[in-house]
Amino acid sequence: MKKIEIKSARFVISNTDIKKCPQDGKPEYAFIGRSNVGKSSLINMLAKNSKLAMTGSMPGKTLLINHFLVNDEWYLVDLPGYGYAKRSKSQTEKLEHIITTYVLDREQMTLLFVLIDARHEPQKIDLEFFEWLGENGVPFAIVFTKADKLKKTQLGLNIKAYKERLLEEWEELPPVFVTSSETAQGRIEILEYINSINETL
Ligand code: GTP
Ligand code: MG
């Protein structure tokens, strides 16, 4: 396997309509999860550019589908988060529509990374989201975020418990990554995984 290197990463377009997303057929890897879980920060960490995607301590920062082109070959896609309680009903519905149509209809989406805050116990909203992905045959991997916020032992216990919870419903687990946007933990693993998929396309 070729060693992965990010030579360039640049913003291409933001929009709410998948028909207006890039039509060049390049493979793309999208990041989804609860609001504030660290999607945009993870993209910046992977690209080694803290200014690429907009991040923030207030949930609900990302409201559009954002395409970032890496090495002129493939895209990282930042999506709005789900499950932010303080949104109006109409905005929640609008974002859910964006997320749903992107995930189900975007043919170039090679894989969806679903982010889970490593600090928390399994949440209903995420478990239901996994179920929905399974029902619709969407390929995904799980990324635990904010690993730096836990001691190593606790981190290990949380991830073990999370996997056990998933195995109550799933016969096998998808690929699982443990990451921190602060320490860049998991960066090489995710990039190598993306690279290994790109090489099969
Ligand atoms: P929305 O766009 O609102 O859905 O959020 P998001 O999932 O894109 O989260 P974002 O990357 O904006 O990060 C939310 C907050 O968590 C910010 O204050 C980040 O600095 C912080 N954060 C994200 N990842 C990490 C991490 O790995 N470690 C630590 N300590 N903080 C993180
Ligand atoms: Mg964001």
Side-chain angles (χ1 to χ4, degrees):
M1 194 161 61
K2 224 172 32 188
K3 195 167 174 285
I4 184 117
E5 211 186 312
I6 296 211
K7 286 166 254 159
S8 64
R10 63 181 177 86
F11 168 75
V12 175
I13 194 167
S14 286
N15 61 72
T16 56
D17 183 351
I18 68 156
K19 289 193 219 75
K20 293 184 190 145
C21 290
Q23 297 297 337
D24 52 16
K26 293 188 166 89
E28 59 193 48
Y29 298 84
F31 295 76
I32 189 76
R34 297 188 75 161
S35 222
N36 217 41
V37 70
K39 301 173 291 293
S40 303
S41 303
L42 182 70
I43 287 178
N44 290 345
M45 180 274 263
L46 293 172
K48 283 195 179 167
N49 178 350
S50 64
K51 297 197 179 85
L52 196 61
M54 267 203 304
T55 66
S57 54
M58 290 292 288
K61 193 84 186 166
T62 308
L63 298 170
L64 300 165
I65 304 168
N66 301 285
H67 276 74
F68 304 100
L69 182 60
V70 180
N71 296 348
D72 290 322
E73 282 168 2
W74 52 277
Y75 290 100
L76 288 166
V77 180
D78 195 11
L79 296 171
Y82 55 75
Y84 179 40
K86 286 187 189 149
R87 273 179 187 139
S88 69
K89 191 162 175 268
S90 68
Q91 186 163 45
T92 302
E93 281 170 3
K94 204 172 136 206
L95 289 177
E96 274 176 9
H97 178 76
I98 295 175
I99 293 169
T100 312
T101 47
Y102 177 84
V103 170
L104 296 181
D105 299 341
R106 179 72 176 158
E107 281 173 23
Q108 290 90 332
M109 191 193 77
T110 309
L111 187 94
L112 187 64
F113 287 98
V114 184
L115 277 58
I116 300 290
D117 190 322
R119 294 172 296 175
H120 306 318
E121 285 182 4
Q123 311 273 308
K124 192 162 171 256
I125 191 166
D126 296 317
L127 296 172
E128 285 175 356
F129 189 73
F130 289 132
E131 210 178 296
W132 179 75
L133 294 177
E135 283 164 8
N136 288 287
V138 178
F140 68 95
I142 298 180
V143 178
F144 290 99
T145 63
K146 309 196 184 184
D148 60 283
K149 292 207 181 211
L150 287 172
K151 293 212 170 72
K152 218 176 161 188
T153 332
Q154 192 59 51
L155 177 66
L157 288 171
N158 284 14
I159 287 159
K160 184 165 173 278
Y162 208 103
K163 287 181 178 171
E164 281 167 3
R165 178 69 185 78
L166 287 174
L167 285 170
E168 287 173 18
E169 274 144 64
W170 294 77
E171 274 174 35
E172 54 182 328
L173 293 172
V176 170
F177 300 92
V178 182
T179 69
S180 161
S181 299
E182 291 287 313
T183 67
Q185 179 180 347
R187 180 176 182 272
I188 300 294
E189 288 81 359
I190 291 183
L191 291 179
E192 283 184 353
Y193 182 60
I194 289 175
N195 205 34
S196 71
I197 298 174
N198 283 342
E199 285 184 346
T200 67
L201 300 175

